[in-house]
Amino acid sequence: MDDVTGAIADPVRREILLMLRDEALSAGQIADRFAISRPAVSRHLRVLREAGLVRDTADGRRRVYTLVTTPLDELAGWLGQLMRPAGWQHHLDALETEVYRTRRERHTAAENKESA
Amino acid sequence: MDDVTGAIADPVRREILLMLRDEALSAGQIADRFAISRPAVSRHLRVLREAGLVRDTADGRRRVYTLVTTPLDELAGWLGQLMRPAGWQHHLDALETEVYRTRRERHTAAENKESA
DNA sequence: CAAACGTGTAACTCATCGGTTACGCTTCAC
DNA sequence: GTGAAGCGTAACCGATGAGTTACACGTTTG
């Protein structure tokens, strides 16, 4: 949990996650979309990887990253735990999870759509 | 958003939020539950306050803190944005079930008398 | 009023973080 | 084989964060 919240805490890393939401991207492609240096992005990717939020697959000399949302379940559960007593119904639209106890393996987002 | 994710990133602060979920607590009461010094807790409270996650009301020489979940909406929305493409339907389904089933759980944390 | 209580703030230390440049390793192209 | 492409790591640095002790300030209480 600490890994996830820590990873989420940085705007660059949040942006990376959003980028990976729609398509898998290589390290270089990701780095190109930021003003900071490539090594800096590389380390952000490392943080995300260690938090389990992304998975990297070697593809020749490239390294393709894909999103892994599973670790977010715990965070979502924590959020739900906090918001429940208040306007629960209201948040339902935005929130979306109470999982917290279910699914844990499911999707794995292994779409090999790298048509870059 | 950065404020919230930053605030959430610390385990002590997350714990504080959970503590405030069920009842309002004074700074001292909160500090007593942690091994760290009181000033340290005080600064955690400041971070939470600046993130809008807690509200403090003066009560004599005490300062009572209450939870404010509103800022979490944005985070919840962001989370949803990330998890939607994956098992969104699934999550939503589980959520609704959960909501109807628990239905505010009996005890209700009725201490929410101090309105905004 | 004076003493004790409850809290926040200031000043300081130490560890961690995010960024940069330099470098090394593996893979593709010729 | 040689050189370039693509990435990650190492070393270094300034900024930030969390913890501590010392202190100031308002509030109760005797």
Side-chain angles (χ1 to χ4, degrees), chain B residues 65-96:
Chain B
Y65 285 86
T66 57
L67 178 67
V68 177
T69 61
T70 325
L72 293 176
D73 287 352
E74 194 179 359
L75 175 57
W78 183 83
L79 259 186
Q81 205 177 345
L82 263 187
M83 320 213 295
R84 191 148 6 197
W88 170 238
Q89 296 258 25
H90 241 83
H91 291 312
L92 180 70
D93 195 33
L95 215 197
E96 281 188 291

Side-chain angles (χ1 to χ4, degrees), chain A residues 82, chain B residues 4 7 13-14 16-21 25 30 41-57 63-72:
Chain A
L82 263 187
Chain B
V4 175
R13 290 195 286 265
R14 282 200 304 274
I16 292 178
L17 292 181
L18 283 182
M19 285 168 47
L20 293 177
R21 185 182 83 114
L25 294 172
I30 296 173
V41 173
S42 184
R43 287 215 332 206
H44 280 302
L45 288 172
R46 191 227 286 249
V47 173
L48 290 173
R49 196 185 322 133
E50 290 177 345
L53 288 168
V54 300
R55 192 163 50 84
D56 65 316
T57 16
R63 191 165 286 253
V64 180
Y65 285 86
T66 57
L67 178 67
V68 177
T69 61
T70 325
L72 293 176

Side-chain angles (χ1 to χ4, degrees), chain A residues 10 12-13 35-37 39-40 43-44 60-61:
Chain A
D10 187 279
V12 172
R13 290 195 286 265
I36 61 179
S37 71
R43 285 213 335 204
H44 279 302
R61 58 186 164 184

